[in-house]
PDB file of all heavy atoms in Angstrom:
ATOM      1  N   VAL A 106      21.114   4.946  -5.418  1.00 95.00           N
ATOM      2  CA  VAL A 106      21.984   5.021  -6.561  1.00 95.00           C
ATOM      3  C   VAL A 106      23.439   5.220  -6.194  1.00 95.00           C
ATOM      4  O   VAL A 106      24.370   4.717  -6.858  1.00 95.00           O
ATOM      5  CB  VAL A 106      21.528   6.118  -7.523  1.00 95.00           C
ATOM      6  CG1 VAL A 106      22.468   6.273  -8.715  1.00 95.00           C
ATOM      7  CG2 VAL A 106      20.101   5.878  -8.016  1.00 95.00           C
ATOM      8  N   ALA A 107      23.644   5.942  -5.084  1.00 95.00           N
ATOM      9  CA  ALA A 107      25.012   6.229  -4.587  1.00 95.00           C
ATOM     10  C   ALA A 107      25.032   6.172  -3.070  1.00 95.00           C
ATOM     11  O   ALA A 107      25.203   7.192  -2.409  1.00 95.00           O
ATOM     12  CB  ALA A 107      25.501   7.521  -5.077  1.00 95.00           C
ATOM     13  N   PRO A 108      24.809   4.963  -2.494  1.00 94.00           N
ATOM     14  CA  PRO A 108      24.666   4.906  -1.048  1.00 94.00           C
ATOM     15  C   PRO A 108      25.901   5.249  -0.253  1.00 94.00           C
ATOM     16  O   PRO A 108      25.817   5.501   0.950  1.00 94.00           O
ATOM     17  CB  PRO A 108      24.247   3.411  -0.829  1.00 94.00           C
ATOM     18  CG  PRO A 108      24.781   2.694  -2.006  1.00 94.00           C
ATOM     19  CD  PRO A 108      24.663   3.685  -3.164  1.00 94.00           C
ATOM     20  N   ASP A 109      27.056   5.227  -0.912  1.00 93.00           N
ATOM     21  CA  ASP A 109      28.297   5.635  -0.204  1.00 93.00           C
ATOM     22  C   ASP A 109      28.466   7.147  -0.195  1.00 93.00           C
ATOM     23  O   ASP A 109      29.319   7.678   0.500  1.00 93.00           O
ATOM     24  CB  ASP A 109      29.506   4.992  -0.881  1.00 93.00           C
ATOM     25  CG  ASP A 109      29.635   5.371  -2.378  1.00 93.00           C
ATOM     26  OD1 ASP A 109      28.608   5.596  -3.000  1.00 93.00           O
ATOM     27  OD2 ASP A 109      30.768   5.411  -2.832  1.00 93.00           O
ATOM     28  N   ARG A 110      27.620   7.891  -0.956  1.00 95.00           N
ATOM     29  CA  ARG A 110      27.760   9.339  -1.046  1.00 95.00           C
ATOM     30  C   ARG A 110      26.531  10.086  -0.540  1.00 95.00           C
ATOM     31  O   ARG A 110      26.613  11.274  -0.235  1.00 95.00           O
ATOM     32  CB  ARG A 110      27.965   9.738  -2.517  1.00 95.00           C
ATOM     33  CG  ARG A 110      29.100   9.087  -3.249  1.00 95.00           C
ATOM     34  CD  ARG A 110      30.449   9.432  -2.655  1.00 95.00           C
ATOM     35  NE  ARG A 110      30.723  10.881  -2.643  1.00 95.00           N
ATOM     36  CZ  ARG A 110      31.180  11.580  -3.670  1.00 95.00           C
ATOM     37  NH1 ARG A 110      31.419  10.989  -4.841  1.00 95.00           N
ATOM     38  NH2 ARG A 110      31.434  12.872  -3.552  1.00 95.00           N
ATOM     39  N   PHE A 111      25.390   9.386  -0.411  1.00 96.00           N
ATOM     40  CA  PHE A 111      24.151  10.048  -0.039  1.00 96.00           C
ATOM     41  C   PHE A 111      23.530   9.462   1.228  1.00 96.00           C
ATOM     42  O   PHE A 111      23.605   8.213   1.430  1.00 96.00           O
ATOM     43  CB  PHE A 111      23.118   9.931  -1.160  1.00 96.00           C
ATOM     44  CG  PHE A 111      23.425  10.644  -2.457  1.00 96.00           C
ATOM     45  CD1 PHE A 111      22.959  10.152  -3.640  1.00 96.00           C
ATOM     46  CD2 PHE A 111      24.163  11.813  -2.444  1.00 96.00           C
ATOM     47  CE1 PHE A 111      23.206  10.811  -4.836  1.00 96.00           C
ATOM     48  CE2 PHE A 111      24.432  12.469  -3.636  1.00 96.00           C
ATOM     49  CZ  PHE A 111      23.980  11.957  -4.828  1.00 96.00           C
ATOM     50  N   VAL A 112      22.928  10.322   2.032  1.00 96.00           N
ATOM     51  CA  VAL A 112      22.047   9.922   3.129  1.00 96.00           C
ATOM     52  C   VAL A 112      20.778  10.730   2.912  1.00 96.00           C
ATOM     53  O   VAL A 112      20.812  11.856   2.417  1.00 96.00           O
ATOM     54  CB  VAL A 112      22.687  10.268   4.504  1.00 96.00           C
ATOM     55  CG1 VAL A 112      21.692  10.023   5.635  1.00 96.00           C
ATOM     56  CG2 VAL A 112      23.949   9.458   4.728  1.00 96.00           C
ATOM     57  N   GLY A 113      19.608  10.155   3.232  1.00 97.00           N
ATOM     58  CA  GLY A 113      18.363  10.826   2.961  1.00 97.00           C
ATOM     59  C   GLY A 113      17.607  11.285   4.180  1.00 97.00           C
ATOM     60  O   GLY A 113      17.608  10.619   5.204  1.00 97.00           O
ATOM     61  N   LEU A 114      16.917  12.464   4.039  1.00 98.00           N
ATOM     62  CA  LEU A 114      15.987  12.917   5.039  1.00 98.00           C
ATOM     63  C   LEU A 114      14.599  12.883   4.448  1.00 98.00           C
ATOM     64  O   LEU A 114      14.395  13.204   3.263  1.00 98.00           O
ATOM     65  CB  LEU A 114      16.307  14.359   5.464  1.00 98.00           C
ATOM     66  CG  LEU A 114      17.595  14.584   6.273  1.00 98.00           C
ATOM     67  CD1 LEU A 114      17.727  16.062   6.632  1.00 98.00           C
ATOM     68  CD2 LEU A 114      17.612  13.732   7.502  1.00 98.00           C
ATOM     69  N   ALA A 115      13.629  12.517   5.257  1.00 98.00           N
ATOM     70  CA  ALA A 115      12.219  12.511   4.787  1.00 98.00           C
ATOM     71  C   ALA A 115      11.675  13.905   4.815  1.00 98.00           C
ATOM     72  O   ALA A 115      12.170  14.835   5.467  1.00 98.00           O
ATOM     73  CB  ALA A 115      11.401  11.627   5.748  1.00 98.00           C
ATOM     74  N   THR A 116      10.593  14.119   4.060  1.00 98.00           N
ATOM     75  CA  THR A 116       9.718  15.257   4.228  1.00 98.00           C
ATOM     76  C   THR A 116       8.424  14.717   4.820  1.00 98.00           C
ATOM     77  O   THR A 116       8.094  13.544   4.670  1.00 98.00           O
ATOM     78  CB  THR A 116       9.480  15.983   2.939  1.00 98.00           C
ATOM     79  OG1 THR A 116       8.750  17.171   3.156  1.00 98.00           O
ATOM     80  CG2 THR A 116       8.728  15.149   1.889  1.00 98.00           C
ATOM     81  N   LEU A 117       7.654  15.571   5.524  1.00 98.00           N
ATOM     82  CA  LEU A 117       6.479  15.122   6.250  1.00 98.00           C
ATOM     83  C   LEU A 117       5.260  15.998   5.912  1.00 98.00           C
ATOM     84  O   LEU A 117       5.435  17.201   5.657  1.00 98.00           O
ATOM     85  CB  LEU A 117       6.710  15.180   7.758  1.00 98.00           C
ATOM     86  CG  LEU A 117       7.929  14.355   8.301  1.00 98.00           C
ATOM     87  CD1 LEU A 117       8.103  14.614   9.776  1.00 98.00           C
ATOM     88  CD2 LEU A 117       7.711  12.875   8.043  1.00 98.00           C
ATOM     89  N   PRO A 118       4.076  15.406   5.930  1.00 97.00           N
ATOM     90  CA  PRO A 118       2.863  16.203   5.694  1.00 97.00           C
ATOM     91  C   PRO A 118       2.467  16.944   7.009  1.00 97.00           C
ATOM     92  O   PRO A 118       1.529  16.554   7.687  1.00 97.00           O
ATOM     93  CB  PRO A 118       1.833  15.183   5.273  1.00 97.00           C
ATOM     94  CG  PRO A 118       2.252  13.956   6.034  1.00 97.00           C
ATOM     95  CD  PRO A 118       3.750  14.013   6.104  1.00 97.00           C
ATOM     96  N   MET A 119       3.204  17.994   7.335  1.00 97.00           N
ATOM     97  CA  MET A 119       3.068  18.598   8.634  1.00 97.00           C
ATOM     98  C   MET A 119       1.722  19.185   8.937  1.00 97.00           C
ATOM     99  O   MET A 119       1.346  19.449  10.080  1.00 97.00           O
ATOM    100  CB  MET A 119       4.165  19.633   8.853  1.00 97.00           C
ATOM    101  CG  MET A 119       5.582  19.038   8.924  1.00 97.00           C
ATOM    102  SD  MET A 119       5.836  18.021  10.432  1.00 97.00           S
ATOM    103  CE  MET A 119       5.971  19.298  11.679  1.00 97.00           C
ATOM    104  N   GLN A 120       0.886  19.449   7.880  1.00 97.00           N
ATOM    105  CA  GLN A 120      -0.476  19.949   8.130  1.00 97.00           C
ATOM    106  C   GLN A 120      -1.353  18.823   8.678  1.00 97.00           C
ATOM    107  O   GLN A 120      -2.484  19.093   9.112  1.00 97.00           O
ATOM    108  CB  GLN A 120      -1.047  20.515   6.830  1.00 97.00           C
ATOM    109  CG  GLN A 120      -1.238  19.510   5.684  1.00 97.00           C
ATOM    110  CD  GLN A 120      -0.056  19.424   4.787  1.00 97.00           C
ATOM    111  OE1 GLN A 120       1.063  19.176   5.205  1.00 97.00           O
ATOM    112  NE2 GLN A 120      -0.282  19.670   3.483  1.00 97.00           N
ATOM    113  N   ASP A 121      -0.806  17.593   8.716  1.00 97.00           N
ATOM    114  CA  ASP A 121      -1.529  16.438   9.236  1.00 97.00           C
ATOM    115  C   ASP A 121      -0.612  15.728  10.214  1.00 97.00           C
ATOM    116  O   ASP A 121       0.050  14.751   9.825  1.00 97.00           O
ATOM    117  CB  ASP A 121      -1.907  15.537   8.051  1.00 97.00           C
ATOM    118  CG  ASP A 121      -2.811  14.371   8.497  1.00 97.00           C
ATOM    119  OD1 ASP A 121      -2.979  14.170   9.696  1.00 97.00           O
ATOM    120  OD2 ASP A 121      -3.348  13.699   7.572  1.00 97.00           O
ATOM    121  N   PRO A 122      -0.512  16.211  11.461  1.00 97.00           N
ATOM    122  CA  PRO A 122       0.476  15.624  12.405  1.00 97.00           C
ATOM    123  C   PRO A 122       0.330  14.115  12.582  1.00 97.00           C
ATOM    124  O   PRO A 122       1.384  13.422  12.586  1.00 97.00           O
ATOM    125  CB  PRO A 122       0.176  16.374  13.708  1.00 97.00           C
ATOM    126  CG  PRO A 122      -0.270  17.716  13.234  1.00 97.00           C
ATOM    127  CD  PRO A 122      -1.136  17.427  12.026  1.00 97.00           C
ATOM    128  N   PRO A 123      -0.867  13.546  12.706  1.00 97.00           N
ATOM    129  CA  PRO A 123      -0.914  12.066  12.833  1.00 97.00           C
ATOM    130  C   PRO A 123      -0.302  11.355  11.647  1.00 97.00           C
ATOM    131  O   PRO A 123       0.411  10.373  11.809  1.00 97.00           O
ATOM    132  CB  PRO A 123      -2.401  11.731  12.945  1.00 97.00           C
ATOM    133  CG  PRO A 123      -2.996  13.004  13.523  1.00 97.00           C
ATOM    134  CD  PRO A 123      -2.211  14.132  12.891  1.00 97.00           C
ATOM    135  N   ALA A 124      -0.580  11.862  10.442  1.00 97.00           N
ATOM    136  CA  ALA A 124       0.041  11.248   9.218  1.00 97.00           C
ATOM    137  C   ALA A 124       1.543  11.459   9.224  1.00 97.00           C
ATOM    138  O   ALA A 124       2.314  10.584   8.774  1.00 97.00           O
ATOM    139  CB  ALA A 124      -0.599  11.846   7.952  1.00 97.00           C
ATOM    140  N   SER A 125       1.992  12.618   9.771  1.00 98.00           N
ATOM    141  CA  SER A 125       3.441  12.839   9.850  1.00 98.00           C
ATOM    142  C   SER A 125       4.143  11.866  10.751  1.00 98.00           C
ATOM    143  O   SER A 125       5.251  11.401  10.464  1.00 98.00           O
ATOM    144  CB  SER A 125       3.696  14.276  10.290  1.00 98.00           C
ATOM    145  OG  SER A 125       3.274  15.214   9.362  1.00 98.00           O
ATOM    146  N   VAL A 126       3.493  11.552  11.858  1.00 98.00           N
ATOM    147  CA  VAL A 126       4.065  10.584  12.792  1.00 98.00           C
ATOM    148  C   VAL A 126       4.230   9.243  12.108  1.00 98.00           C
ATOM    149  O   VAL A 126       5.292   8.591  12.168  1.00 98.00           O
ATOM    150  CB  VAL A 126       3.158  10.452  14.030  1.00 98.00           C
ATOM    151  CG1 VAL A 126       3.563   9.223  14.881  1.00 98.00           C
ATOM    152  CG2 VAL A 126       3.273  11.725  14.876  1.00 98.00           C
ATOM    153  N   LEU A 127       3.198   8.805  11.369  1.00 97.00           N
ATOM    154  CA  LEU A 127       3.240   7.529  10.697  1.00 97.00           C
ATOM    155  C   LEU A 127       4.326   7.538   9.596  1.00 97.00           C
ATOM    156  O   LEU A 127       5.048   6.564   9.412  1.00 97.00           O
ATOM    157  CB  LEU A 127       1.915   7.194  10.076  1.00 97.00           C
ATOM    158  CG  LEU A 127       0.738   6.925  11.128  1.00 97.00           C
ATOM    159  CD1 LEU A 127      -0.538   6.707  10.366  1.00 97.00           C
ATOM    160  CD2 LEU A 127       1.083   5.709  11.964  1.00 97.00           C
ATOM    161  N   GLU A 128       4.410   8.657   8.871  1.00 98.00           N
ATOM    162  CA  GLU A 128       5.365   8.731   7.761  1.00 98.00           C
ATOM    163  C   GLU A 128       6.779   8.772   8.254  1.00 98.00           C
ATOM    164  O   GLU A 128       7.700   8.206   7.650  1.00 98.00           O
ATOM    165  CB  GLU A 128       5.058   9.939   6.867  1.00 98.00           C
ATOM    166  CG  GLU A 128       6.004  10.063   5.659  1.00 98.00           C
ATOM    167  CD  GLU A 128       5.943   8.866   4.701  1.00 98.00           C
ATOM    168  OE1 GLU A 128       4.966   8.059   4.783  1.00 98.00           O
ATOM    169  OE2 GLU A 128       6.879   8.726   3.893  1.00 98.00           O
ATOM    170  N   LEU A 129       7.022   9.466   9.412  1.00 98.00           N
ATOM    171  CA  LEU A 129       8.359   9.494   9.953  1.00 98.00           C
ATOM    172  C   LEU A 129       8.800   8.077  10.386  1.00 98.00           C
ATOM    173  O   LEU A 129       9.923   7.684  10.118  1.00 98.00           O
ATOM    174  CB  LEU A 129       8.399  10.433  11.136  1.00 98.00           C
ATOM    175  CG  LEU A 129       9.767  10.613  11.832  1.00 98.00           C
ATOM    176  CD1 LEU A 129      10.818  11.086  10.826  1.00 98.00           C
ATOM    177  CD2 LEU A 129       9.667  11.561  12.993  1.00 98.00           C
ATOM    178  N   LYS A 130       7.893   7.331  10.942  1.00 98.00           N
ATOM    179  CA  LYS A 130       8.200   5.942  11.302  1.00 98.00           C
ATOM    180  C   LYS A 130       8.488   5.090  10.083  1.00 98.00           C
ATOM    181  O   LYS A 130       9.422   4.317  10.067  1.00 98.00           O
ATOM    182  CB  LYS A 130       7.074   5.382  12.159  1.00 98.00           C
ATOM    183  CG  LYS A 130       6.880   6.006  13.527  1.00 98.00           C
ATOM    184  CD  LYS A 130       5.617   5.557  14.199  1.00 98.00           C
ATOM    185  CE  LYS A 130       5.624   4.143  14.609  1.00 98.00           C
ATOM    186  NZ  LYS A 130       4.398   3.754  15.395  1.00 98.00           N
ATOM    187  N   ARG A 131       7.665   5.248   9.050  1.00 98.00           N
ATOM    188  CA  ARG A 131       7.838   4.465   7.831  1.00 98.00           C
ATOM    189  C   ARG A 131       9.147   4.850   7.151  1.00 98.00           C
ATOM    190  O   ARG A 131       9.951   3.974   6.690  1.00 98.00           O
ATOM    191  CB  ARG A 131       6.672   4.689   6.862  1.00 98.00           C
ATOM    192  CG  ARG A 131       6.738   3.833   5.623  1.00 98.00           C
ATOM    193  CD  ARG A 131       5.623   4.255   4.614  1.00 98.00           C
ATOM    194  NE  ARG A 131       6.020   5.399   3.814  1.00 98.00           N
ATOM    195  CZ  ARG A 131       6.646   5.384   2.611  1.00 98.00           C
ATOM    196  NH1 ARG A 131       6.951   4.203   2.076  1.00 98.00           N
ATOM    197  NH2 ARG A 131       6.952   6.475   1.975  1.00 98.00           N
ATOM    198  N   ALA A 132       9.403   6.149   7.048  1.00 97.00           N
ATOM    199  CA  ALA A 132      10.594   6.626   6.325  1.00 97.00           C
ATOM    200  C   ALA A 132      11.866   6.155   6.980  1.00 97.00           C
ATOM    201  O   ALA A 132      12.843   5.826   6.272  1.00 97.00           O
ATOM    202  CB  ALA A 132      10.558   8.181   6.224  1.00 97.00           C
ATOM    203  N   THR A 133      11.891   6.119   8.283  1.00 97.00           N
ATOM    204  CA  THR A 133      13.130   5.695   8.989  1.00 97.00           C
ATOM    205  C   THR A 133      13.221   4.181   9.080  1.00 97.00           C
ATOM    206  O   THR A 133      14.328   3.653   8.872  1.00 97.00           O
ATOM    207  CB  THR A 133      13.185   6.322  10.390  1.00 97.00           C
ATOM    208  OG1 THR A 133      11.972   6.003  11.126  1.00 97.00           O
ATOM    209  CG2 THR A 133      13.318   7.844  10.293  1.00 97.00           C
ATOM    210  N   SER A 134      12.135   3.489   9.303  1.00 96.00           N
ATOM    211  CA  SER A 134      12.224   2.071   9.529  1.00 96.00           C
ATOM    212  C   SER A 134      12.186   1.261   8.243  1.00 96.00           C
ATOM    213  O   SER A 134      12.835   0.205   8.120  1.00 96.00           O
ATOM    214  CB  SER A 134      11.098   1.594  10.470  1.00 96.00           C
ATOM    215  OG  SER A 134       9.829   1.803   9.874  1.00 96.00           O
ATOM    216  N   VAL A 135      11.436   1.708   7.267  1.00 97.00           N
ATOM    217  CA  VAL A 135      11.281   0.988   5.987  1.00 97.00           C
ATOM    218  C   VAL A 135      12.201   1.504   4.914  1.00 97.00           C
ATOM    219  O   VAL A 135      12.855   0.721   4.235  1.00 97.00           O
ATOM    220  CB  VAL A 135       9.805   1.050   5.537  1.00 97.00           C
ATOM    221  CG1 VAL A 135       9.640   0.338   4.177  1.00 97.00           C
ATOM    222  CG2 VAL A 135       8.859   0.438   6.577  1.00 97.00           C
ATOM    223  N   LEU A 136      12.279   2.812   4.764  1.00 97.00           N
ATOM    224  CA  LEU A 136      13.059   3.416   3.673  1.00 97.00           C
ATOM    225  C   LEU A 136      14.496   3.650   4.060  1.00 97.00           C
ATOM    226  O   LEU A 136      15.344   3.862   3.181  1.00 97.00           O
ATOM    227  CB  LEU A 136      12.414   4.735   3.232  1.00 97.00           C
ATOM    228  CG  LEU A 136      10.990   4.671   2.673  1.00 97.00           C
ATOM    229  CD1 LEU A 136      10.524   6.066   2.252  1.00 97.00           C
ATOM    230  CD2 LEU A 136      10.865   3.694   1.538  1.00 97.00           C
ATOM    231  N   GLY A 137      14.799   3.641   5.347  1.00 95.00           N
ATOM    232  CA  GLY A 137      16.196   3.869   5.773  1.00 95.00           C
ATOM    233  C   GLY A 137      16.617   5.321   5.765  1.00 95.00           C
ATOM    234  O   GLY A 137      17.799   5.607   5.861  1.00 95.00           O
ATOM    235  N   LEU A 138      15.653   6.241   5.739  1.00 97.00           N
ATOM    236  CA  LEU A 138      15.993   7.656   5.839  1.00 97.00           C
ATOM    237  C   LEU A 138      16.378   8.000   7.291  1.00 97.00           C
ATOM    238  O   LEU A 138      15.956   7.323   8.230  1.00 97.00           O
ATOM    239  CB  LEU A 138      14.848   8.523   5.325  1.00 97.00           C
ATOM    240  CG  LEU A 138      14.373   8.243   3.893  1.00 97.00           C
ATOM    241  CD1 LEU A 138      13.240   9.193   3.466  1.00 97.00           C
ATOM    242  CD2 LEU A 138      15.535   8.307   2.935  1.00 97.00           C
TER     243      LEU A 138
END
Side-chain angles (χ1 to χ4, degrees):
V106 176
D109 59 331
R110 306 295 304 276
F111 294 149
V112 173
L114 293 181
T116 186
L117 303 175
M119 292 293 287
Q120 64 269 57
D121 187 350
S125 292
V126 168
L127 294 176
E128 182 60 17
L129 182 58
K130 293 170 68 175
R131 184 187 81 93
T133 54
S134 65
V135 177
L136 300 181
L138 303 183

